[in-house]
Amino acid sequence: MRILPKEIETLWTLFTAPVVWALHFLVCYVGAAIYCAKQDAVDFGFGVVRAGIGAVTVAALAMIVLSAVLAWRQWGFGTYDPPHDDPTPHDRRRFQGFATLLLSGLSFIAVVYTAMAALMISGCFQ
Amino acid sequence: MAIAGALIWAAVIGTLIYATRERRRVQSEHAAGLLILWGGAIIPALLLGLLLGYALWLMPDIRPWSAPGEPAGLRIEVEGEQFWWRVRYHPADGPPVDAANEIRLPVGERVEFTLTSSDVIHSFWIPVLGGKMDMIPGRTNRLTLRAAKTGTYRGPCTEFCGTSHALMAFSVVVMEPDAFRDWLADEARPSPGAGAPGGELFIANGCPACHTVRGTEATGAVGPDLSHVGSRETLAAGIMPVDVEAIASFISKPDAIKPGAQMPAFGMLPEADIAAIAAYLEGLK
Ligand SMILES: [Cu+2]
């Protein structure tokens, strides 16, 4: 039995961008919380945490853009207009591509909003 | 902010009216798609991004601690109790000063509040100065506020805390910094009225078990500090004026005025004694 289906037609790609968004959110918040709880035990400053958040953000945005490009291809580079609601494999693929593209856009904005806080927060609670 | 909200509202309603007008020309699907893309996604995302940026930019100032190197300022400890507020001022340069049911602030200065509760969850809120913050038993929450204008404001308890929750408020007096420091110095000293007649009745009838009046042998800490109750804006946590009549009625039937209040009624005392105690307390300026 396979966990990941063999065909190209898989629903998994649909979730890539939201999953990246969720992981990015967790890494930022959990990372900052752990650092602030243990800051006496480590010997680097909050600047490192902010730089780390910056790096994670760039990586997350890159993955989301990649997912968006793949979705754009699946959608057919915009050659067909929505709503893609015929019961055919063709429309199903276009529909999924378009939905993935929209989710990627949402996730992109969400990741940017999550990271914006790190621009202003300059230290832990003391 | 209100203007921007009004503009957005007008744009949405305008579109709605446009869409429902009687004689209409059919729009191309392309135009509709563009409207959705810009009006439904791109412009809202940019506006929300701007608002978020603005809110984040304001954050360092409302965060409860001072920047590195900034001298520590005034800290005010407030403890919520059913149904009143215990207040303790911690000036940067001096011993703490106890008070109750009223908070005075120097205008233009950042003041840090440390908020706790001794019984159930209360919530501390001065609407004109900032957001609310819960007071949770066993926890210390912090909040920093900076008052921009002098004046007298009101703060209610904003978390249901029992029968007299709605009767639990406090007055906030924002003063010029110099006037504030003079007031705090006075607050730390006994009131000139502390030795006035009526004080012996206050002592003799057991009030010192729960109340403090500085400069006398009354040092109880169960109830509000009454050292300067006569100079406050309100009595009994923001519900009555500070006059002899109101004080007398609170002494004789606190439970009728404030159901569930933790003060026993003293209605059995002779009326003249109650009046004398009330006049004495009103004189504690
Ligand atoms: Cu309360």
Side-chain angles (χ1 to χ4, degrees):
Chain A
M1 202 187 87
R2 308 177 55 95
I3 292 181
L4 291 178
K6 205 173 175 182
E7 317 89 87
I8 304 298
E9 215 173 300
T10 159
L11 265 183
W12 291 102
T13 53
L14 188 64
F15 307 120
T16 314
V19 165
V20 170
W21 164 21
L23 290 177
H24 171 265
F25 184 92
L26 286 176
V27 167
C28 291
Y29 277 77
V30 175
I34 293 179
Y35 173 80
C36 286
K38 309 246 181 228
Q39 54 178 332
D40 296 333
V42 296
D43 58 352
F44 56 87
F46 195 74
V48 177
V49 177
R50 290 168 94 179
I53 291 177
V56 180
T57 303
V58 171
L61 291 180
M63 279 158 81
I64 290 172
V65 168
L66 179 66
S67 150
V69 170
L70 294 177
W72 191 32
R73 191 177 67 183
Q74 190 183 16
W75 182 38
F77 301 105
T79 39
Y80 306 92
D81 276 338
H84 312 300
D85 50 2
D86 288 336
T88 60
H90 175 272
D91 256 29
R92 193 159 63 240
R93 201 155 45 243
R94 299 286 175 261
F95 174 81
Q96 196 192 332
F98 189 51
T100 311
L101 185 62
L102 294 181
L103 278 175
S104 304
L106 176 69
S107 308
F108 189 94
I109 294 168
V111 164
V112 170
Y113 284 5
T114 306
M116 269 168 74
L119 292 177
M120 299 293 167
I121 304 284
S122 56
C124 298
F125 182 89
Q126 43 222 334
Chain B
M1 216 48 87
I3 295 172
L7 284 178
I8 292 174
W9 181 84
V12 172
I13 298 300
T15 317
L16 183 72
I17 291 171
Y18 176 76
T20 53
R21 78 204 185 288
E22 246 166 65
R23 265 188 300 282
R24 52 178 171 239
R25 194 161 38 88
V26 173
Q27 300 285 341
S28 73
E29 256 184 49
H30 182 70
L34 278 182
L35 179 70
I36 292 173
L37 178 67
W38 283 95
I42 296 180
I43 293 176
L46 288 177
L47 284 179
L48 288 177
L50 278 178
L51 281 175
L52 177 64
Y54 177 64
L56 288 171
W57 174 75
L58 289 176
M59 258 177 56
D61 221 39
I62 50 172
R63 280 173 11 129
W65 57 98
S66 40
E70 189 182 328
L74 173 66
R75 180 166 71 84
I76 305 180
E77 193 185 331
V78 186
E79 186 173 335
E81 307 202 13
Q82 282 172 325
F83 300 94
W84 60 283
W85 314 82
R86 187 188 294 280
V87 181
R88 177 171 284 172
Y89 296 82
H90 296 270
D93 51 351
V97 181
D98 285 330
N101 292 336
E102 180 163 291
I103 290 171
R104 297 204 175 217
L105 301 171
V107 68
E109 289 180 20
R110 271 165 62 99
V111 177
E112 181 184 344
F113 289 91
T114 44
L115 307 170
T116 55
S117 164
S118 63
D119 37 40
V120 298
I121 299 179
H122 302 272
S123 192
F124 179 87
W125 191 25
I126 310 175
V128 285
L129 297 187
K132 67 173 192 162
M133 180 68 82
D134 279 357
M135 309 170 109
I136 300 170
R139 245 194 91 88
T140 301
N141 282 339
R142 299 178 186 216
L143 175 73
T144 299
L145 297 175
R146 185 206 304 267
K149 265 192 257 171
T150 57
T152 302
Y153 311 114
R154 187 170 180 276
C157 176
T158 33
E159 184 67 50
F160 181 75
C161 59
T163 30
S164 284
H165 161 67
L167 302 175
M168 176 170 174
F170 56 97
S171 38
V172 182
V173 182
V174 180
M175 319 167 74
E176 292 298 336
D178 287 341
F180 171 78
R181 269 169 259 287
D182 290 348
W183 170 83
L184 191 61
D186 280 345
E187 186 74 9
R189 284 191 284 268
S191 156
E200 72 290 348
L201 288 168
F202 183 81
I203 304 285
N205 285 301
C207 317
C210 299
H211 293 290
T212 292
V213 174
R214 269 190 281 294
T216 72
E217 53 191 272
T219 54
V222 177
D225 186 302
L226 298 178
S227 300
H228 295 270
V229 66
S231 65
R232 288 208 226 125
E233 298 285 327
T234 60
L235 185 74
I239 61 169
M240 292 194 289
V242 184
D243 57 39
V244 177
E245 223 167 281
I247 300 176
S249 66
F250 192 78
I251 296 172
S252 51
K253 43 181 177 23
D255 198 56
I257 292 173
K258 231 175 163 171
Q262 305 288 312
M263 168 160 153
F266 285 85
M268 69 295 188
L269 298 184
E271 231 169 83
D273 286 7
I274 293 179
I277 295 175
Y280 167 74
L281 291 177
E282 201 269 336
L284 295 176
K285 302 285 185 190

